[in-house]
Amino acid sequence: MGEFWSRILQNYPYVFALALFAIGIYTILTHSNLFKKVIGINIMEGSIYILFIAAGNVRGGVAPILDMTDTTLTYVHPLPQALMLTGIVVSVSVTALSLALIMKLYRFYGTVDAKEIMRIRTEVRANGARIS
Amino acid sequence: MALAFRDNLAVLVVVALLSTAYIMPLLTKIRRFRVAEYFAVAMLGLALSGGIYLAREILLHGTFTYAVGGWPAPWGIELSLDAVSGFFLITIGVVATPIMLYASVDLIKEVGSRSRAAWFLTLFLLLVAALCGLAVTGDLFNIYVMVEVATIASCAIVAARNDATSVEATFKYLMLATIGSGFVLLGIGFLFVLTGNLNMNFIAQELSMSWQKYPTALWVCLSFFMVGFGVKSALFPLHVWLPDAHSTAIAPSSAMLSSLAIKGYIIALLKVFYVAVGAKIITRLPITDILTLLGMVAIIAGALFALAQDELKRRLAFSTISQVGYIFLGIGLGNIHGLTGTFMHILSHATTKALLFLAAGAMIKHTGKSRISEMAGVGAAMPVTVGAFAVGSLSMIGIPLFSGFVSKWQLLLGSLANGNYLAVLVLVGGSLLAAAYLLPVLRMAFFERPLQKPVVANVSYVQLAALLFLVVVIISVGVVPDGVLQLASEAATALLGLEVLP
Amino acid sequence: MTDFVLKRMVALVLPFVQMLGLYVIFHGHLSPGGSFSGGIITGLSLIAFSLVFGLERGHEKISERLMGLIESFGALWYGAMGLVGVLRGTTFLMNKGAGVPLGEPGRLFSGGLILLITLGVGLKVASTMVTLFNALMEEEE
């Protein structure tokens, strides 16, 4: 058991990342406020950035900018950082799209609460009318 | 070194579609809208012919790889062109071209305004380009990017109608799809940590030597992939977003999403499971059994849900869940017949469901009725459209001489080869249930006496041509399946890593 | 908004922010940052202008039509740069192998096509950010 915990301690960024991932998904699934769902998405994606960056880290390494004068430097792995830049771009676009959708939903229903929207929808459907 | 034309063709198909997507807003500003639409159709047709040419080259000369930017595999992004890519490229072309043709008739009226219609064209082409990218890529992170592009584009084309229900469905879809991509990216991260590579062939080499050191990590990583792609491709317990999203969108969007977008994620799953991890490892892990089981549950449950729907498009949406079950069943079987069946069903469900959604869209638009119980006498009013719907129904049920039969027959052979008699029962039961939820529509349309005399609706000839194109594809694949079947079994052989039969 | 201090400060700071954005875009192949970060900075400067002086003044500076053109141009430019390699008989996005002079490493004009590609992508990112902001602002009315 002692060995298990020491391995967990050595690899703490991964534990953090997975915990954050779970928090993010919990936020998306349980909060009925649509903005909080979007925040949950960002927490979830942030956890994955931590996982990748931690995977590319080298203890004592410096930022991967080639220094021609000093050949003794150790660089961290640049690939995960480049990948996560792409990941950030993706999450920016997802966030923008979901914010635009929330604004439309607010215009249609007058609320940003998922439960409230559900209630309005069932009421309208029961009356047999369409929401404009 | 000089490269042959075919080497560049794979990347040219994707780039041409992407560029066309961004030309659309410019073209609609300076020319008539029709011109932009026909340009899009022409580019899709070109992509189809490119796909056919590539598939032929792959069948004749074997698989080949392409290093983007001239950087070889472990450093650069590599496209790997095998029978899987060829098969999926053909599927995309065959289905996307008629859908675009169908959409071109009254797109502006359907989505509201001219600028919205221009963006719809852009997003549609981006979706197609991303799916083509998924078909040709050999790099895990590339898969993630393409999956994201496809997800965002498909969300946006669901919302194209801009009314309350479709926007709400889109939001639900976006949330769940983003959770799905989170899982996929986490799985990619695990594979990257385990092997230090993102190229799928290199991951396969690395894993084949070292996977026994950390089977638990691999198992967790594969379940991330399964959940992630499962949400996106609506595998049964994770399907909750699909019925709303697919039934509220406009007809071309529903057809595109139900027939192609979902299949793109399935191709990505196949590539991760069978190329990156490798058939030898995957068939030894219990994950294939889980996929088989979920597939069987999906077939029955999706069909039962479909039976309960009265709204035509919702019934078709639930039918998609049932048919996705067939595809996952084939993936889970993990033998040559099962995977051939999976590929054939990807093609036959794509063509059939596109046909059904397009025909249903025309029926709903011209009669103004969206419920099956109100559709009495539609068959007399629009015989060709409902006739096309009938062909789609028969193919979906799996009647011989239609494409659905070929794929279900292969899945049946695969189940028998594995000795999985439950799967045989489920396959037959799924077909019977498909008959139970599709034939009443036809009975209502053709044989039920309408309340008032039906008015003959004139569906535009362009839309009829799109429907007839799909009908011809379905029947010709059903009657002479040899060429397609050879390509599909070649793709299955490539995935299983077997020797190519002489 | 009639805040005098805010308006003066933004007018003072904006040119420097835009210079920084362009600097980051142009040094994408030499230092951290590049097209995305630089494009975001440039785009944010335009957004800050619209926030402080109002959307109409923002549209006066750069019309939405021009933004749409730049957006499409950025994406098409990337494709065109990639095709240079194909036209020279090598692979897509090929840089040195396609006969593009690379220059001396560490200098600003080095790296062949990379600088040109980052320029296109930076324009695309900047204009996309502004378009997104405008779309979200206008929906509210």
Side-chain angles (χ1 to χ4, degrees):
Chain A
M1 214 53 195
E3 196 216 3
F4 174 78
W5 286 110
S6 72
R7 272 170 72 185
I8 290 277
L9 270 181
Q10 272 168 18
N11 295 309
Y12 67 93
Y14 302 109
V15 182
F16 270 128
L18 287 180
L20 267 183
F21 189 80
I23 292 172
I25 286 191
Y26 179 80
T27 316
I28 300 173
L29 293 180
T30 57
H31 283 263
S32 67
N33 187 318
L34 301 182
F35 282 109
K36 287 190 182 159
K37 283 182 197 281
V38 177
I39 293 173
I41 282 183
N42 280 291
I43 294 175
M44 187 186 84
E45 308 237 318
S47 77
I48 303 170
Y49 308 153
I50 295 179
L51 183 104
F52 266 86
I53 301 293
N57 185 36
V58 179
R59 294 237 162 98
V62 298
I65 308 165
L66 190 61
D67 190 346
M68 295 287 201
T69 55
D70 191 351
T71 51
T72 59
L73 288 176
T74 325
Y75 299 107
V76 299
H77 199 333
L79 182 65
Q81 305 190 353
L83 297 183
M84 282 312 104
L85 199 59
T86 317
I88 291 170
V89 177
V90 167
S91 92
V92 165
S93 23
V94 169
T95 310
L97 180 59
S98 45
L99 289 180
L101 288 175
I102 290 177
M103 277 176 52
K104 278 199 184 301
L105 281 175
Y106 183 74
R107 218 161 19 129
F108 286 129
Y109 292 99
T111 173
V112 289
D113 192 283
K115 279 180 195 150
E116 196 74 1
I117 288 176
M118 197 66 106
R119 193 183 58 77
I120 295 174
R121 217 180 80 170
T122 42
E123 259 176 32
V124 171
R125 190 173 278 176
N127 295 339
R130 278 177 65 91
I131 309 153
S132 64
Chain B
M1 91 201 140
L3 280 166
F5 171 65
R6 63 146 211 208
D7 290 308
N8 275 320
L9 191 60
V11 82
L12 283 184
V13 167
V14 181
V15 171
L17 287 171
L18 277 177
S19 313
T20 318
Y22 282 101
I23 288 172
M24 283 298 131
L26 303 181
L27 200 59
T28 47
K29 277 198 184 98
I30 53 172
R31 286 271 182 275
R32 290 179 51 210
F33 199 78
R34 241 332 119 67
V35 177
E37 285 169 335
Y38 286 142
F39 183 58
V41 174
M43 288 312 280
L44 288 171
L46 265 182
L48 169 62
S49 45
I52 292 175
Y53 180 76
L54 269 175
R56 191 175 146 272
E57 287 287 307
I58 291 164
L59 276 186
L60 289 179
H61 306 295
T63 62
F64 60 96
T65 57
Y66 178 87
V68 178
W71 297 98
W75 294 283
I77 292 170
E78 190 185 65
L79 307 185
S80 77
L81 276 294
D82 48 10
V84 182
S85 333
F87 189 86
F88 196 50
L89 281 177
I90 291 182
T91 309
I92 294 169
V94 157
V95 180
T97 318
I99 294 178
M100 190 76 237
L101 196 63
Y102 178 97
S104 72
V105 172
D106 50 2
L107 187 59
I108 298 181
K109 214 188 287 168
E110 290 269 344
V111 301
S113 75
R114 195 184 151 97
S115 66
R116 291 177 65 85
W119 284 115
F120 179 89
L121 292 180
T122 303
L123 290 162
F124 188 96
L125 287 163
L126 274 179
L127 176 54
V128 178
L131 294 173
C132 289
L134 278 176
V136 297
T137 188
D139 185 272
L140 265 187
F141 201 76
N142 226 325
I143 282 189
Y144 169 70
V145 174
M146 295 300 176
V147 160
E148 277 302 314
V149 174
T151 305
I152 294 177
S154 47
C155 279
I157 66 174
V158 175
R161 205 160 76 176
N162 200 21
D163 64 355
T165 44
S166 70
V167 172
E168 196 199 339
T170 312
F171 191 80
K172 201 182 189 184
Y173 177 25
L174 182 63
M175 286 300 118
L176 289 171
T178 312
I179 294 181
S181 28
F183 274 110
V184 170
L185 190 53
L186 206 56
I188 292 172
F190 267 56
L191 274 188
F192 178 68
V193 173
L194 289 182
T195 62
N197 269 309
L198 286 169
N199 183 289
M200 291 202 273
N201 293 326
F202 279 76
I203 288 177
Q205 277 177 23
E206 197 71 36
L207 278 182
S208 67
M209 287 184 285
S210 62
W211 75 279
Q212 264 137 343
K213 276 188 224 156
Y214 19 73
T216 329
L218 188 64
W219 173 219
V220 169
C221 154
L222 290 181
S223 41
F224 282 154
F225 276 116
M226 194 180 80
V227 173
F229 286 125
V231 171
K232 282 167 174 287
S233 54
L235 183 58
F236 171 64
L238 309 167
H239 69 279
V240 284
W241 56 269
L242 186 139
D244 283 347
H246 287 195
S247 62
T248 55
I250 63 175
S253 302
S254 327
M256 188 65 196
L257 294 176
S258 241
S259 58
L260 284 183
I262 285 178
K263 308 301 186 314
Y265 309 132
I266 293 174
I267 290 288
L269 180 86
L270 274 171
K271 281 196 168 186
V272 171
F273 275 17
Y274 281 95
V275 180
V277 180
K280 287 205 180 67
I281 301 175
I282 206 88
T283 43
R284 258 189 253 170
L285 289 172
I287 201 137
T288 46
D289 299 335
I290 295 177
L291 281 181
T292 316
L293 194 66
L294 286 178
M296 289 197 286
V297 175
I299 293 172
I300 298 298
L304 287 178
F305 276 120
L307 264 179
Q309 308 298 324
D310 189 29
E311 230 172 287
L312 180 55
K313 282 183 85 175
R314 272 187 95 77
R315 185 172 283 197
L316 293 179
F318 275 106
S319 149
T320 298
I321 295 168
S322 169
Q323 303 298 322
V324 163
Y326 283 94
I327 296 172
F328 274 100
L329 174 66
I331 299 175
L333 288 175
N335 58 27
I336 177 87
H337 286 300
L339 281 176
T340 312
T342 292
F343 282 112
M344 285 309 292
H345 206 63
I346 285 175
L347 175 67
S348 75
H349 178 248
T351 46
T352 310
K353 196 42 78 62
L355 176 63
L356 286 179
F357 261 120
L358 294 182
M363 281 153 72
I364 291 169
K365 197 183 128 212
H366 286 281
T367 60
K369 291 170 181 139
S370 62
R371 294 180 175 279
I372 296 163
S373 50
E374 297 167 340
M375 288 213 166
V378 177
M382 35 205 317
V384 183
T385 314
V386 186
F389 191 89
V391 171
S393 306
L394 296 179
S395 166
M396 191 63 82
I397 296 164
I399 307 282
L401 297 185
F402 295 98
S403 66
F405 174 73
V406 184
S407 55
K408 290 189 180 175
W409 182 250
Q410 289 294 327
L411 287 173
L412 213 61
L413 289 180
S415 316
L416 286 174
N418 269 19
N420 194 341
Y421 294 105
L422 186 62
V424 176
L425 263 181
V426 169
L427 283 170
V428 176
S431 281
L432 289 179
L433 283 171
Y437 65 71
L438 282 172
L439 291 183
V441 183
L442 296 178
R443 186 185 59 100
M444 205 63 180
F446 279 124
F447 303 116
E448 208 76 8
R449 186 177 291 273
L451 292 175
Q452 67 258 47
K453 204 168 177 297
V455 193
V456 176
N458 38 358
V459 186
S460 128
Y461 286 116
V462 178
Q463 291 189 331
L464 286 183
L467 294 179
L468 287 181
F469 178 79
L470 285 169
V471 167
V472 167
V473 170
I474 289 173
I475 293 181
S476 52
V477 171
V479 176
V480 243
D482 303 349
V484 192
L485 204 57
Q486 193 203 345
L487 191 59
S489 70
E490 198 91 0
T493 337
L495 285 189
L496 288 172
L498 301 174
E499 288 301 310
V500 181
L501 297 172
Chain C
M1 268 199 232
T2 54
D3 195 328
F4 176 77
V5 178
L6 196 61
K7 281 186 175 173
R8 285 300 104 200
M9 281 308 291
V10 165
L12 268 178
V13 167
L14 271 193
F16 294 102
V17 175
Q18 285 178 344
M19 276 307 290
L20 175 70
L22 290 177
Y23 172 86
V24 174
I25 292 179
F26 273 101
H27 287 74
H29 55 298
L30 298 175
S31 61
S35 50
F36 182 70
S37 347
I40 292 268
I41 298 172
T42 319
L44 282 186
S45 71
L46 299 174
I47 291 176
F49 183 85
S50 296
L51 265 181
V52 172
F53 292 94
L55 266 185
E56 291 79 37
R57 295 270 321 264
H59 283 321
E60 273 170 31
K61 294 279 172 197
I62 296 182
S63 71
E64 265 181 271
R65 191 185 158 84
L66 183 62
M67 275 295 163
L69 286 181
I70 292 177
E71 227 185 310
S72 290
F73 169 78
L76 292 175
W77 178 253
Y78 189 101
M81 287 298 108
L83 286 182
V84 168
V86 175
L87 292 181
R88 299 297 288 264
T90 53
T91 63
F92 187 74
L93 278 177
M94 180 68 112
N95 197 354
K96 187 184 176 189
V100 183
L102 283 192
E104 192 185 318
R107 302 292 291 271
L108 178 56
F109 292 104
S110 62
L113 290 178
I114 299 177
L115 181 60
L116 293 172
I117 288 177
T118 21
L119 202 60
V121 178
L123 281 177
K124 161 102 184 130
V125 172
S127 59
T128 307
M129 279 294 140
V130 177
T131 318
L132 273 179
F133 172 78
N134 286 347
L136 288 177
M137 287 301 283
E138 274 158 14
E139 289 283 324
E140 249 172 62
E141 287 150 22

